[in-house]
Amino acid sequence: HHKPSDGAPTELVLRCAVSATSREGAARNLDDSSHHDDDEMLFERVLDDATAEWRRLLHDDLRLEAANWLPSSDGGPGASETAVRTALYHTLVTPNLVSDADGTPPDAFGASSSPTGGDAASKKMHNYYYSTLSTWDTFRAQMPWLTVFAPDVAGDVAQSMVAWAARHRRLPKWLLWDQETDTMVAYHGVAILSDALLKDLVPRSLRPAAHRAILDTVD
């Protein structure tokens, strides 16, 4: 409880960070965002950065014509550009990032996990590790779409799957916070990873591990 004294400022600026790994990870994430030195403008600047990143991901510089093949809000033909962009936004909500700012993945990797240690096959080549992988739901449409609309995201998701498979000797089915729920049947991650490989979204150094992950999964 804070009760300001007479004449004291009545506005508080609170900075916080979250982490899927540890309290120490959250502290590092906070330090990573501390390049905003002016506390009075911190929130606005972080908001501006997030807005700019979403505009980049959604290709805000491109004009999207009304999609006549989608229904509009009144039930007639021709969905608005807003509706189309909202649908595109939904394709980028999940899979979601669960790694820290320095690339450290969740505790499922093990207490001593780091992006620069351990088996080379299980390392990510980028500091972006994704989870919430519902492969049964997404292998037909969302994931192929991301290879075209957001290939950097699709590539990082594929590499995250390879890293997970290097530890579990199979590709994931339905990951939630990097934990396998084993929901749904079959292994649709094979289709997702194969598509990423064919579209050259997996670095050459990780391709042997990607091929091994596919073979281990279907064996």
Side-chain angles (χ1 to χ4, degrees), residues 91 94-95 130 132-151 153-158 161 188-189 191-193 195-196 199 201:
T91 68
T94 55
Y130 283 82
T132 317
L133 297 175
S134 175
T135 62
W136 186 88
D137 299 294
T138 62
F139 83 99
R140 299 178 186 88
Q142 181 193 5
M143 297 310 299
W145 166 250
L146 289 180
T147 65
V148 177
F149 184 69
V153 174
D156 281 326
V157 170
M161 294 172 65
H188 301 92
I192 294 172
L193 184 54
D195 192 31
K199 293 175 179 175
L201 297 179

Short mmCIF file of all heavy atoms in Angstrom, two decimals, residues 91 94-95 130 132-151 153-158 161 188-189 191-193 195-196 199 201:
data_model
loop_
_atom_site.label_atom_id
_atom_site.label_comp_id
_atom_site.label_asym_id
_atom_site.label_seq_id
_atom_site.Cartn_x
_atom_site.Cartn_y
_atom_site.Cartn_z
N THR A 91 -3.50 -15.81 -36.95
CA THR A 91 -2.54 -16.84 -37.37
C THR A 91 -1.20 -16.68 -36.67
O THR A 91 -0.36 -17.59 -36.71
CB THR A 91 -2.30 -16.82 -38.89
OG1 THR A 91 -1.61 -15.61 -39.26
CG2 THR A 91 -3.61 -16.92 -39.65
N THR A 94 -0.65 -17.94 -31.89
CA THR A 94 0.03 -19.18 -31.53
C THR A 94 0.47 -19.88 -32.81
O THR A 94 -0.22 -19.75 -33.84
CB THR A 94 -0.89 -20.15 -30.74
OG1 THR A 94 -2.08 -20.39 -31.49
CG2 THR A 94 -1.22 -19.59 -29.38
N PRO A 95 1.58 -20.60 -32.79
CA PRO A 95 2.48 -20.85 -31.67
C PRO A 95 3.05 -19.55 -31.10
O PRO A 95 3.15 -18.56 -31.80
CB PRO A 95 3.60 -21.72 -32.28
CG PRO A 95 2.98 -22.33 -33.50
CD PRO A 95 2.03 -21.28 -34.02
N TYR A 130 9.60 -21.57 -29.81
CA TYR A 130 8.14 -21.52 -29.81
C TYR A 130 7.54 -22.78 -29.20
O TYR A 130 8.10 -23.87 -29.30
CB TYR A 130 7.62 -21.40 -31.25
CG TYR A 130 7.74 -20.01 -31.83
CD1 TYR A 130 8.93 -19.56 -32.37
CD2 TYR A 130 6.65 -19.15 -31.85
CE1 TYR A 130 9.05 -18.29 -32.91
CE2 TYR A 130 6.75 -17.89 -32.38
CZ TYR A 130 7.95 -17.46 -32.92
OH TYR A 130 8.05 -16.20 -33.45
N THR A 132 3.24 -24.18 -27.67
CA THR A 132 1.80 -24.16 -27.99
C THR A 132 1.62 -24.61 -29.44
O THR A 132 1.14 -23.87 -30.29
CB THR A 132 1.15 -22.79 -27.75
OG1 THR A 132 1.62 -22.25 -26.50
CG2 THR A 132 -0.37 -22.93 -27.69
N LEU A 133 2.07 -25.83 -29.70
CA LEU A 133 2.02 -26.39 -31.04
C LEU A 133 0.88 -27.40 -31.15
O LEU A 133 1.00 -28.53 -30.68
CB LEU A 133 3.35 -27.07 -31.37
CG LEU A 133 4.59 -26.17 -31.41
CD1 LEU A 133 5.84 -27.01 -31.61
CD2 LEU A 133 4.45 -25.13 -32.51
N SER A 134 -0.19 -26.99 -31.75
CA SER A 134 -1.32 -27.88 -31.98
C SER A 134 -1.24 -28.39 -33.42
O SER A 134 -1.95 -27.92 -34.31
CB SER A 134 -2.64 -27.13 -31.75
OG SER A 134 -3.74 -27.93 -32.08
N THR A 135 -0.35 -29.34 -33.64
CA THR A 135 -0.03 -29.72 -35.02
C THR A 135 -1.22 -30.31 -35.77
O THR A 135 -1.35 -30.11 -36.98
CB THR A 135 1.15 -30.69 -35.05
OG1 THR A 135 0.80 -31.90 -34.36
CG2 THR A 135 2.37 -30.07 -34.39
N TRP A 136 -2.08 -31.05 -35.07
CA TRP A 136 -3.25 -31.66 -35.72
C TRP A 136 -4.17 -30.59 -36.30
O TRP A 136 -4.78 -30.78 -37.35
CB TRP A 136 -4.01 -32.51 -34.72
CG TRP A 136 -5.14 -33.32 -35.30
CD1 TRP A 136 -5.07 -34.56 -35.84
CD2 TRP A 136 -6.51 -32.93 -35.38
NE1 TRP A 136 -6.32 -34.98 -36.26
CE2 TRP A 136 -7.23 -33.99 -35.99
CE3 TRP A 136 -7.22 -31.78 -35.01
CZ2 TRP A 136 -8.59 -33.93 -36.23
CZ3 TRP A 136 -8.58 -31.72 -35.25
CH2 TRP A 136 -9.25 -32.79 -35.85
N ASP A 137 -4.28 -29.46 -35.60
CA ASP A 137 -5.19 -28.39 -36.02
C ASP A 137 -4.57 -27.48 -37.08
O ASP A 137 -5.30 -26.80 -37.81
CB ASP A 137 -5.57 -27.51 -34.82
CG ASP A 137 -6.30 -28.29 -33.74
OD1 ASP A 137 -7.42 -28.75 -34.01
OD2 ASP A 137 -5.74 -28.44 -32.64
N THR A 138 -3.23 -27.41 -37.15
CA THR A 138 -2.60 -26.35 -37.93
C THR A 138 -1.82 -26.82 -39.15
O THR A 138 -1.41 -25.99 -39.96
CB THR A 138 -1.64 -25.55 -37.02
OG1 THR A 138 -0.60 -26.43 -36.53
CG2 THR A 138 -2.38 -24.94 -35.84
N PHE A 139 -1.60 -28.14 -39.29
CA PHE A 139 -0.70 -28.58 -40.35
C PHE A 139 -1.28 -28.37 -41.74
O PHE A 139 -0.54 -28.26 -42.73
CB PHE A 139 -0.31 -30.05 -40.15
CG PHE A 139 -1.30 -31.06 -40.68
CD1 PHE A 139 -1.11 -31.67 -41.91
CD2 PHE A 139 -2.43 -31.39 -39.94
CE1 PHE A 139 -2.01 -32.61 -42.40
CE2 PHE A 139 -3.34 -32.32 -40.42
CZ PHE A 139 -3.14 -32.93 -41.65
N ARG A 140 -2.62 -28.31 -41.87
CA ARG A 140 -3.24 -28.18 -43.19
C ARG A 140 -3.21 -26.76 -43.73
O ARG A 140 -3.04 -26.55 -44.93
CB ARG A 140 -4.71 -28.63 -43.13
CG ARG A 140 -4.93 -30.06 -42.74
CD ARG A 140 -6.43 -30.35 -42.68
NE ARG A 140 -6.73 -31.67 -42.18
CZ ARG A 140 -6.89 -31.97 -40.90
NH1 ARG A 140 -6.72 -31.01 -39.98
NH2 ARG A 140 -7.17 -33.20 -40.52
N ALA A 141 -3.44 -25.77 -42.86
CA ALA A 141 -3.65 -24.41 -43.35
C ALA A 141 -2.72 -23.38 -42.70
O ALA A 141 -1.98 -22.67 -43.39
CB ALA A 141 -5.11 -24.00 -43.14
N GLN A 142 -2.77 -23.28 -41.36
CA GLN A 142 -2.03 -22.21 -40.71
C GLN A 142 -0.53 -22.30 -40.96
O GLN A 142 0.11 -21.32 -41.34
CB GLN A 142 -2.29 -22.19 -39.20
CG GLN A 142 -1.55 -21.06 -38.49
CD GLN A 142 -1.55 -21.21 -36.98
OE1 GLN A 142 -2.01 -22.21 -36.44
NE2 GLN A 142 -1.01 -20.22 -36.29
N MET A 143 0.05 -23.47 -40.72
CA MET A 143 1.50 -23.58 -40.85
C MET A 143 1.97 -23.39 -42.29
O MET A 143 2.95 -22.67 -42.52
CB MET A 143 1.99 -24.91 -40.27
CG MET A 143 1.73 -25.06 -38.77
SD MET A 143 2.28 -23.63 -37.78
CE MET A 143 4.04 -23.63 -38.13
N PRO A 144 1.32 -23.98 -43.30
CA PRO A 144 1.72 -23.66 -44.68
C PRO A 144 1.57 -22.17 -44.99
O PRO A 144 2.38 -21.59 -45.72
CB PRO A 144 0.78 -24.52 -45.53
CG PRO A 144 0.42 -25.66 -44.65
CD PRO A 144 0.33 -25.08 -43.27
N TRP A 145 0.51 -21.56 -44.44
CA TRP A 145 0.30 -20.12 -44.67
C TRP A 145 1.45 -19.31 -44.10
O TRP A 145 1.94 -18.37 -44.73
CB TRP A 145 -1.03 -19.69 -44.07
CG TRP A 145 -1.18 -18.20 -43.95
CD1 TRP A 145 -1.18 -17.46 -42.82
CD2 TRP A 145 -1.36 -17.28 -45.04
NE1 TRP A 145 -1.33 -16.13 -43.11
CE2 TRP A 145 -1.45 -15.98 -44.47
CE3 TRP A 145 -1.44 -17.40 -46.42
CZ2 TRP A 145 -1.62 -14.84 -45.24
CZ3 TRP A 145 -1.61 -16.25 -47.19
CH2 TRP A 145 -1.70 -14.99 -46.60
N LEU A 146 1.91 -19.67 -42.89
CA LEU A 146 2.99 -18.91 -42.27
C LEU A 146 4.28 -19.01 -43.07
O LEU A 146 5.10 -18.08 -43.05
CB LEU A 146 3.22 -19.40 -40.84
CG LEU A 146 2.15 -19.05 -39.81
CD1 LEU A 146 2.52 -19.59 -38.43
CD2 LEU A 146 1.93 -17.53 -39.74
N THR A 147 4.51 -20.13 -43.77
CA THR A 147 5.73 -20.24 -44.57
C THR A 147 5.76 -19.19 -45.68
O THR A 147 6.83 -18.84 -46.18
CB THR A 147 5.87 -21.63 -45.21
OG1 THR A 147 4.82 -21.84 -46.15
CG2 THR A 147 5.86 -22.72 -44.14
N VAL A 148 4.59 -18.68 -46.05
CA VAL A 148 4.50 -17.66 -47.10
C VAL A 148 4.37 -16.26 -46.48
O VAL A 148 5.07 -15.32 -46.88
CB VAL A 148 3.28 -17.93 -48.01
CG1 VAL A 148 3.13 -16.83 -49.05
CG2 VAL A 148 3.41 -19.29 -48.68
N PHE A 149 3.49 -16.13 -45.49
CA PHE A 149 3.16 -14.82 -44.93
C PHE A 149 4.19 -14.37 -43.88
O PHE A 149 4.51 -13.18 -43.79
CB PHE A 149 1.77 -14.88 -44.29
CG PHE A 149 1.28 -13.58 -43.76
CD1 PHE A 149 0.95 -12.54 -44.61
CD2 PHE A 149 1.15 -13.37 -42.39
CE1 PHE A 149 0.49 -11.33 -44.13
CE2 PHE A 149 0.69 -12.16 -41.89
CZ PHE A 149 0.36 -11.14 -42.77
N ALA A 150 4.70 -15.30 -43.09
CA ALA A 150 5.68 -14.97 -42.04
C ALA A 150 6.74 -16.06 -42.01
O ALA A 150 6.83 -16.83 -41.05
CB ALA A 150 4.99 -14.83 -40.70
N PRO A 151 7.58 -16.16 -43.04
CA PRO A 151 8.55 -17.27 -43.12
C PRO A 151 9.55 -17.27 -41.97
O PRO A 151 10.05 -18.33 -41.60
CB PRO A 151 9.23 -17.04 -44.47
CG PRO A 151 8.98 -15.60 -44.81
CD PRO A 151 7.65 -15.28 -44.22
N VAL A 153 8.87 -16.59 -38.84
CA VAL A 153 8.18 -17.29 -37.76
C VAL A 153 8.10 -18.78 -38.05
O VAL A 153 8.40 -19.63 -37.19
CB VAL A 153 6.77 -16.71 -37.54
CG1 VAL A 153 6.00 -17.53 -36.50
CG2 VAL A 153 6.86 -15.25 -37.10
N ALA A 154 7.71 -19.13 -39.27
CA ALA A 154 7.60 -20.55 -39.65
C ALA A 154 8.94 -21.26 -39.50
O ALA A 154 9.00 -22.41 -39.05
CB ALA A 154 7.08 -20.67 -41.08
N GLY A 155 10.02 -20.59 -39.87
CA GLY A 155 11.33 -21.19 -39.74
C GLY A 155 11.72 -21.41 -38.29
O GLY A 155 12.28 -22.46 -37.94
N ASP A 156 11.42 -20.44 -37.43
CA ASP A 156 11.75 -20.59 -36.02
C ASP A 156 10.90 -21.68 -35.37
O ASP A 156 11.37 -22.40 -34.48
CB ASP A 156 11.55 -19.27 -35.29
CG ASP A 156 12.72 -18.31 -35.50
OD1 ASP A 156 13.86 -18.79 -35.60
OD2 ASP A 156 12.49 -17.09 -35.57
N VAL A 157 9.64 -21.79 -35.78
CA VAL A 157 8.79 -22.87 -35.25
C VAL A 157 9.36 -24.22 -35.65
O VAL A 157 9.45 -25.15 -34.84
CB VAL A 157 7.34 -22.71 -35.76
CG1 VAL A 157 6.52 -23.96 -35.43
CG2 VAL A 157 6.69 -21.48 -35.16
N ALA A 158 9.77 -24.35 -36.91
CA ALA A 158 10.35 -25.61 -37.39
C ALA A 158 11.62 -25.95 -36.60
O ALA A 158 11.82 -27.11 -36.20
CB ALA A 158 10.65 -25.51 -38.88
N MET A 161 10.79 -27.22 -33.22
CA MET A 161 10.37 -28.62 -33.27
C MET A 161 11.56 -29.56 -33.36
O MET A 161 11.58 -30.63 -32.73
CB MET A 161 9.43 -28.82 -34.46
CG MET A 161 8.11 -28.07 -34.34
SD MET A 161 7.11 -28.15 -35.86
CE MET A 161 6.75 -29.90 -35.92
N HIS A 188 1.48 -35.08 -37.05
CA HIS A 188 1.35 -34.10 -38.13
C HIS A 188 2.52 -33.13 -38.17
O HIS A 188 2.66 -32.36 -39.13
CB HIS A 188 0.03 -33.35 -37.96
CG HIS A 188 -1.16 -34.26 -37.99
ND1 HIS A 188 -1.71 -34.80 -36.85
CD2 HIS A 188 -1.86 -34.78 -39.02
CE1 HIS A 188 -2.72 -35.58 -37.16
NE2 HIS A 188 -2.84 -35.60 -38.47
N GLY A 189 3.37 -33.17 -37.14
CA GLY A 189 4.59 -32.39 -37.19
C GLY A 189 5.49 -32.80 -38.34
O GLY A 189 6.30 -32.00 -38.82
N ALA A 191 4.55 -33.39 -41.41
CA ALA A 191 4.16 -32.57 -42.56
C ALA A 191 4.66 -31.14 -42.40
O ALA A 191 5.12 -30.51 -43.37
CB ALA A 191 2.64 -32.60 -42.71
N ILE A 192 4.56 -30.59 -41.18
CA ILE A 192 4.98 -29.21 -40.94
C ILE A 192 6.47 -29.06 -41.17
O ILE A 192 6.93 -28.14 -41.87
CB ILE A 192 4.61 -28.79 -39.50
CG1 ILE A 192 3.09 -28.75 -39.34
CG2 ILE A 192 5.23 -27.44 -39.16
CD1 ILE A 192 2.64 -28.53 -37.90
N LEU A 193 7.26 -29.97 -40.61
CA LEU A 193 8.71 -29.87 -40.75
C LEU A 193 9.15 -30.17 -42.18
O LEU A 193 10.07 -29.51 -42.70
CB LEU A 193 9.39 -30.83 -39.77
CG LEU A 193 10.93 -30.78 -39.72
CD1 LEU A 193 11.43 -29.37 -39.46
CD2 LEU A 193 11.45 -31.74 -38.66
N ASP A 195 7.52 -29.54 -44.89
CA ASP A 195 7.21 -28.35 -45.67
C ASP A 195 8.27 -27.27 -45.46
O ASP A 195 8.72 -26.62 -46.41
CB ASP A 195 5.83 -27.82 -45.27
CG ASP A 195 5.30 -26.76 -46.22
OD1 ASP A 195 5.63 -26.83 -47.42
OD2 ASP A 195 4.56 -25.88 -45.76
N ALA A 196 8.68 -27.07 -44.21
CA ALA A 196 9.70 -26.07 -43.91
C ALA A 196 11.04 -26.44 -44.57
O ALA A 196 11.76 -25.56 -45.06
CB ALA A 196 9.87 -25.93 -42.41
N LYS A 199 10.93 -25.73 -48.29
CA LYS A 199 10.93 -24.29 -48.58
C LYS A 199 12.18 -23.59 -48.04
O LYS A 199 12.22 -22.36 -47.97
CB LYS A 199 9.66 -23.66 -48.00
CG LYS A 199 8.40 -24.14 -48.72
CD LYS A 199 7.13 -23.63 -48.08
CE LYS A 199 5.90 -24.14 -48.84
NZ LYS A 199 4.63 -23.77 -48.19
N LEU A 201 13.54 -23.28 -45.08
CA LEU A 201 13.37 -22.47 -43.88
C LEU A 201 14.13 -23.04 -42.69
O LEU A 201 14.09 -22.47 -41.60
CB LEU A 201 11.88 -22.35 -43.53
CG LEU A 201 11.01 -21.64 -44.56
CD1 LEU A 201 9.56 -21.61 -44.11
CD2 LEU A 201 11.52 -20.24 -44.83
#
